[in-house]
Amino acid sequence: MDLDAVQLGTLGRGLYRMLSLVDGYLAAKVGWDPEGFVGLAELRLDWTDELAPGELPGLVLSTSARQQLPPPTGFQPFGNDCEWIPYRGEQAANHS
């Protein structure tokens, strides 16, 4: 069964609600393959251009992890001593 953008967005928001209740992590991101976004070294080396202006929606960082990175913008409080760039849902595929 394929999920459409609305269903995937609903699933993503539910996973973020669950994540907001968990503590003890440095970085997290909901998705099919988020590993490249959740390591502090990768964020510092590979994603600085996107992180600085807040262009990694859904990225959750502990406050201590965020303080180890260059000063990003767009972060908001996210339960359990974490901050995040709010998740915007999934975008529908353009099938022109």
Side-chain angles (χ1 to χ4, degrees):
M1 176 172 126
D2 291 336
L3 300 177
D4 64 25
V6 172
Q7 293 167 320
L8 287 170
T10 300
L11 177 61
R13 283 185 288 281
L15 290 170
Y16 278 110
R17 276 192 299 278
M18 290 176 58
L19 184 61
S20 73
L21 303 173
V22 177
D23 58 11
Y25 58 89
L26 294 177
K29 186 167 181 8
V30 168
W32 294 114
D33 190 18
E35 289 84 10
F37 294 104
V38 296
L40 295 182
E42 289 87 352
L43 286 169
R44 195 176 297 114
L45 296 173
D46 300 331
W47 296 101
T48 302
D49 291 342
E50 292 83 0
L51 185 61
E55 294 176 356
L56 292 175
L59 178 65
V60 181
L61 297 174
S62 70
T63 301
S64 64
R66 191 191 54 74
Q67 292 170 347
Q68 295 176 41
L69 296 169
T73 61
F75 276 84
Q76 298 178 12
F78 180 87
N80 294 331
D81 195 35
C82 289
E83 301 173 32
W84 78 324
I85 300 170
Y87 175 66
R88 297 188 298 233
E90 299 303 313
Q91 304 302 312
N94 185 0
H95 298 288
S96 304

